[in-house]
Amino acid sequence: MDSFWGAFSGALGLVIALDPDLMEIIGLSMRVTLTAVFLACLIGLPLGAAVGTFKFPGRALVAVILNALMGLPPVVVGLLVYLVLSASGPLGPLRLLYTPTAMIIAQMVLVTPIVAALTRQVIEDLNREYAEQFASLGVGAFDRLTAMLWDARYSLLTVALAGFGRAVAEVGAVIIVGGNINHVTRVMTTTIALETSKGNLQLALALGVILLMIAFAVNAGVMALRASAARAAYA
């Protein structure tokens, strides 16, 4: 028990003192995660909106694939990205393996299906609700899609936060393609795994506290957005 409280107090000391190594790891984690989520939204939001709005052959199959890809095993994604970026892979000459860029790619691959699938569901529900009104007004396809994206902005921000929560907690894929190299590719989740195995519980607990704080912040943001959406709907 004493060792636990000693490690916990040491972890709080690192957080309060803004330990440089701790701040470096947190900064890299946020940079990698935010970049991956931004790129995933650039791809996933339009893709999901298009699938949820337009009717085309194979639409149901695309929806099933997007839903299935939400459960991609992180280690499988890490392996596939590793093979693509390795020296013998198609992108080997770019030398991206064991860099933050490789971790961004892996997280983007994991998050994009989540963003696309959730966006498709949101937009499809809105399209079904507004279909008759759009038809009676003669609204074109582009204007219809734009209107629904704006109307669903709170829900889509929630989708982005869900993607962020998935990415920031990722460990399997990023440790494969990043290598967990000190001062280069060491992020919060991989550092927690490494430092715990080494017995350095202070740093591991400090990063765990930060991750929990981020998780609470993300959930609070989701709840606030839902409350704002509800108020806007009845305004």
Side-chain angles (χ1 to χ4, degrees), residues 29-30 33-34 37 111 115 159-169 214-215 218:
S29 296
M30 291 297 97
T33 298
L34 290 173
V37 173
V111 174
V115 173
V159 168
L161 286 176
F164 174 83
R166 176 66 182 85
V168 76
I214 292 172
V218 169

PDB file of all heavy atoms in Angstrom, residues 29-30 33-34 37 111 115 159-169 214-215 218:
ATOM      1  N   SER A  29       1.698  13.160 -28.250  1.00  0.00           N
ATOM      2  CA  SER A  29       0.438  12.413 -28.316  1.00  0.00           C
ATOM      3  C   SER A  29      -0.675  13.273 -28.892  1.00  0.00           C
ATOM      4  O   SER A  29      -1.437  12.839 -29.765  1.00  0.00           O
ATOM      5  CB  SER A  29       0.041  11.921 -26.917  1.00  0.00           C
ATOM      6  OG  SER A  29       0.974  11.008 -26.406  1.00  0.00           O
ATOM      7  N   MET A  30      -0.782  14.504 -28.395  1.00  0.00           N
ATOM      8  CA  MET A  30      -1.847  15.390 -28.876  1.00  0.00           C
ATOM      9  C   MET A  30      -1.633  15.768 -30.339  1.00  0.00           C
ATOM     10  O   MET A  30      -2.592  15.841 -31.112  1.00  0.00           O
ATOM     11  CB  MET A  30      -1.892  16.650 -28.015  1.00  0.00           C
ATOM     12  CG  MET A  30      -2.369  16.427 -26.587  1.00  0.00           C
ATOM     13  SD  MET A  30      -4.088  15.820 -26.494  1.00  0.00           S
ATOM     14  CE  MET A  30      -3.810  14.054 -26.316  1.00  0.00           C
ATOM     15  N   THR A  33      -2.499  12.623 -32.460  1.00  0.00           N
ATOM     16  CA  THR A  33      -3.922  12.291 -32.408  1.00  0.00           C
ATOM     17  C   THR A  33      -4.776  13.336 -33.114  1.00  0.00           C
ATOM     18  O   THR A  33      -5.671  12.996 -33.903  1.00  0.00           O
ATOM     19  CB  THR A  33      -4.374  12.149 -30.944  1.00  0.00           C
ATOM     20  OG1 THR A  33      -3.659  11.073 -30.332  1.00  0.00           O
ATOM     21  CG2 THR A  33      -5.870  11.859 -30.863  1.00  0.00           C
ATOM     22  N   LEU A  34      -4.533  14.611 -32.844  1.00  0.00           N
ATOM     23  CA  LEU A  34      -5.339  15.664 -33.464  1.00  0.00           C
ATOM     24  C   LEU A  34      -5.159  15.686 -34.981  1.00  0.00           C
ATOM     25  O   LEU A  34      -6.125  15.894 -35.726  1.00  0.00           O
ATOM     26  CB  LEU A  34      -4.974  17.023 -32.868  1.00  0.00           C
ATOM     27  CG  LEU A  34      -5.423  17.240 -31.415  1.00  0.00           C
ATOM     28  CD1 LEU A  34      -4.861  18.557 -30.877  1.00  0.00           C
ATOM     29  CD2 LEU A  34      -6.936  17.219 -31.291  1.00  0.00           C
ATOM     30  N   VAL A  37      -7.096  12.642 -36.387  1.00  0.00           N
ATOM     31  CA  VAL A  37      -8.543  12.850 -36.342  1.00  0.00           C
ATOM     32  C   VAL A  37      -8.971  13.878 -37.382  1.00  0.00           C
ATOM     33  O   VAL A  37     -10.002  13.720 -38.045  1.00  0.00           O
ATOM     34  CB  VAL A  37      -8.975  13.286 -34.931  1.00  0.00           C
ATOM     35  CG1 VAL A  37     -10.447  13.681 -34.912  1.00  0.00           C
ATOM     36  CG2 VAL A  37      -8.735  12.156 -33.942  1.00  0.00           C
ATOM     37  N   VAL A 111      -9.527   5.478 -37.329  1.00  0.00           N
ATOM     38  CA  VAL A 111     -10.587   6.424 -36.981  1.00  0.00           C
ATOM     39  C   VAL A 111     -11.517   6.717 -38.160  1.00  0.00           C
ATOM     40  O   VAL A 111     -12.718   6.931 -37.967  1.00  0.00           O
ATOM     41  CB  VAL A 111      -9.975   7.731 -36.441  1.00  0.00           C
ATOM     42  CG1 VAL A 111     -11.049   8.791 -36.208  1.00  0.00           C
ATOM     43  CG2 VAL A 111      -9.225   7.454 -35.145  1.00  0.00           C
ATOM     44  N   VAL A 115     -15.655   7.531 -38.080  1.00  0.00           N
ATOM     45  CA  VAL A 115     -16.243   8.814 -38.459  1.00  0.00           C
ATOM     46  C   VAL A 115     -17.227   8.632 -39.613  1.00  0.00           C
ATOM     47  O   VAL A 115     -18.343   9.171 -39.598  1.00  0.00           O
ATOM     48  CB  VAL A 115     -15.139   9.819 -38.839  1.00  0.00           C
ATOM     49  CG1 VAL A 115     -15.742  11.105 -39.404  1.00  0.00           C
ATOM     50  CG2 VAL A 115     -14.259  10.126 -37.639  1.00  0.00           C
ATOM     51  N   VAL A 159     -19.375  13.127 -33.297  1.00  0.00           N
ATOM     52  CA  VAL A 159     -18.707  12.065 -34.053  1.00  0.00           C
ATOM     53  C   VAL A 159     -17.191  12.288 -34.038  1.00  0.00           C
ATOM     54  O   VAL A 159     -16.410  11.347 -33.821  1.00  0.00           O
ATOM     55  CB  VAL A 159     -19.227  12.036 -35.502  1.00  0.00           C
ATOM     56  CG1 VAL A 159     -18.340  11.154 -36.381  1.00  0.00           C
ATOM     57  CG2 VAL A 159     -20.661  11.540 -35.535  1.00  0.00           C
ATOM     58  N   ALA A 160     -16.763  13.534 -34.241  1.00  0.00           N
ATOM     59  CA  ALA A 160     -15.334  13.841 -34.225  1.00  0.00           C
ATOM     60  C   ALA A 160     -14.733  13.569 -32.856  1.00  0.00           C
ATOM     61  O   ALA A 160     -13.611  13.044 -32.742  1.00  0.00           O
ATOM     62  CB  ALA A 160     -15.101  15.293 -34.627  1.00  0.00           C
ATOM     63  N   LEU A 161     -15.463  13.900 -31.793  1.00  0.00           N
ATOM     64  CA  LEU A 161     -14.978  13.631 -30.440  1.00  0.00           C
ATOM     65  C   LEU A 161     -14.879  12.133 -30.181  1.00  0.00           C
ATOM     66  O   LEU A 161     -13.961  11.679 -29.485  1.00  0.00           O
ATOM     67  CB  LEU A 161     -15.896  14.290 -29.417  1.00  0.00           C
ATOM     68  CG  LEU A 161     -15.782  15.810 -29.279  1.00  0.00           C
ATOM     69  CD1 LEU A 161     -16.813  16.337 -28.294  1.00  0.00           C
ATOM     70  CD2 LEU A 161     -14.382  16.212 -28.837  1.00  0.00           C
ATOM     71  N   ALA A 162     -15.811  11.377 -30.727  1.00  0.00           N
ATOM     72  CA  ALA A 162     -15.739   9.919 -30.582  1.00  0.00           C
ATOM     73  C   ALA A 162     -14.493   9.379 -31.270  1.00  0.00           C
ATOM     74  O   ALA A 162     -13.806   8.487 -30.743  1.00  0.00           O
ATOM     75  CB  ALA A 162     -16.990   9.274 -31.171  1.00  0.00           C
ATOM     76  N   GLY A 163     -14.181   9.925 -32.455  1.00  0.00           N
ATOM     77  CA  GLY A 163     -12.960   9.526 -33.142  1.00  0.00           C
ATOM     78  C   GLY A 163     -11.717   9.901 -32.359  1.00  0.00           C
ATOM     79  O   GLY A 163     -10.757   9.129 -32.281  1.00  0.00           O
ATOM     80  N   PHE A 164     -11.735  11.079 -31.744  1.00  0.00           N
ATOM     81  CA  PHE A 164     -10.600  11.512 -30.928  1.00  0.00           C
ATOM     82  C   PHE A 164     -10.397  10.582 -29.737  1.00  0.00           C
ATOM     83  O   PHE A 164      -9.262  10.190 -29.424  1.00  0.00           O
ATOM     84  CB  PHE A 164     -10.819  12.940 -30.436  1.00  0.00           C
ATOM     85  CG  PHE A 164      -9.763  13.421 -29.481  1.00  0.00           C
ATOM     86  CD1 PHE A 164      -8.563  13.927 -29.950  1.00  0.00           C
ATOM     87  CD2 PHE A 164      -9.967  13.355 -28.111  1.00  0.00           C
ATOM     88  CE1 PHE A 164      -7.575  14.348 -29.069  1.00  0.00           C
ATOM     89  CE2 PHE A 164      -8.997  13.781 -27.225  1.00  0.00           C
ATOM     90  CZ  PHE A 164      -7.794  14.278 -27.707  1.00  0.00           C
ATOM     91  N   GLY A 165     -11.491  10.233 -29.073  1.00  0.00           N
ATOM     92  CA  GLY A 165     -11.386   9.331 -27.937  1.00  0.00           C
ATOM     93  C   GLY A 165     -10.817   7.980 -28.329  1.00  0.00           C
ATOM     94  O   GLY A 165     -10.042   7.387 -27.571  1.00  0.00           O
ATOM     95  N   ARG A 166     -11.170   7.504 -29.518  1.00  0.00           N
ATOM     96  CA  ARG A 166     -10.628   6.224 -30.003  1.00  0.00           C
ATOM     97  C   ARG A 166      -9.138   6.345 -30.303  1.00  0.00           C
ATOM     98  O   ARG A 166      -8.353   5.451 -29.977  1.00  0.00           O
ATOM     99  CB  ARG A 166     -11.388   5.800 -31.264  1.00  0.00           C
ATOM    100  CG  ARG A 166     -10.863   4.526 -31.916  1.00  0.00           C
ATOM    101  CD  ARG A 166     -11.102   3.335 -31.000  1.00  0.00           C
ATOM    102  NE  ARG A 166     -10.570   2.122 -31.561  1.00  0.00           N
ATOM    103  CZ  ARG A 166      -9.293   1.735 -31.426  1.00  0.00           C
ATOM    104  NH1 ARG A 166      -8.442   2.492 -30.754  1.00  0.00           N
ATOM    105  NH2 ARG A 166      -8.881   0.601 -31.954  1.00  0.00           N
ATOM    106  N   ALA A 167      -8.751   7.468 -30.901  1.00  0.00           N
ATOM    107  CA  ALA A 167      -7.362   7.616 -31.327  1.00  0.00           C
ATOM    108  C   ALA A 167      -6.420   7.836 -30.156  1.00  0.00           C
ATOM    109  O   ALA A 167      -5.321   7.274 -30.116  1.00  0.00           O
ATOM    110  CB  ALA A 167      -7.250   8.769 -32.324  1.00  0.00           C
ATOM    111  N   VAL A 168      -6.827   8.659 -29.195  1.00  0.00           N
ATOM    112  CA  VAL A 168      -5.912   9.025 -28.121  1.00  0.00           C
ATOM    113  C   VAL A 168      -5.595   7.830 -27.213  1.00  0.00           C
ATOM    114  O   VAL A 168      -4.549   7.800 -26.561  1.00  0.00           O
ATOM    115  CB  VAL A 168      -6.504  10.190 -27.294  1.00  0.00           C
ATOM    116  CG1 VAL A 168      -7.614   9.721 -26.362  1.00  0.00           C
ATOM    117  CG2 VAL A 168      -5.400  10.912 -26.522  1.00  0.00           C
ATOM    118  N   ALA A 169      -6.490   6.840 -27.186  1.00  0.00           N
ATOM    119  CA  ALA A 169      -6.270   5.659 -26.342  1.00  0.00           C
ATOM    120  C   ALA A 169      -5.585   4.519 -27.080  1.00  0.00           C
ATOM    121  O   ALA A 169      -5.360   3.451 -26.502  1.00  0.00           O
ATOM    122  CB  ALA A 169      -7.613   5.170 -25.784  1.00  0.00           C
ATOM    123  N   ILE A 214      -8.293  13.549 -19.958  1.00  0.00           N
ATOM    124  CA  ILE A 214      -8.699  13.746 -21.344  1.00  0.00           C
ATOM    125  C   ILE A 214     -10.003  13.007 -21.624  1.00  0.00           C
ATOM    126  O   ILE A 214     -10.905  13.537 -22.292  1.00  0.00           O
ATOM    127  CB  ILE A 214      -7.596  13.267 -22.305  1.00  0.00           C
ATOM    128  CG1 ILE A 214      -6.369  14.186 -22.202  1.00  0.00           C
ATOM    129  CG2 ILE A 214      -8.094  13.229 -23.748  1.00  0.00           C
ATOM    130  CD1 ILE A 214      -5.161  13.687 -22.962  1.00  0.00           C
ATOM    131  N   ALA A 215     -10.129  11.776 -21.107  1.00  0.00           N
ATOM    132  CA  ALA A 215     -11.357  11.002 -21.303  1.00  0.00           C
ATOM    133  C   ALA A 215     -12.554  11.721 -20.687  1.00  0.00           C
ATOM    134  O   ALA A 215     -13.628  11.805 -21.306  1.00  0.00           O
ATOM    135  CB  ALA A 215     -11.198   9.611 -20.692  1.00  0.00           C
ATOM    136  N   VAL A 218     -13.390  14.734 -22.876  1.00  0.00           N
ATOM    137  CA  VAL A 218     -14.078  14.340 -24.109  1.00  0.00           C
ATOM    138  C   VAL A 218     -15.539  14.004 -23.823  1.00  0.00           C
ATOM    139  O   VAL A 218     -16.446  14.445 -24.545  1.00  0.00           O
ATOM    140  CB  VAL A 218     -13.363  13.148 -24.773  1.00  0.00           C
ATOM    141  CG1 VAL A 218     -14.207  12.565 -25.900  1.00  0.00           C
ATOM    142  CG2 VAL A 218     -12.006  13.582 -25.322  1.00  0.00           C
TER     143      VAL A 218
END
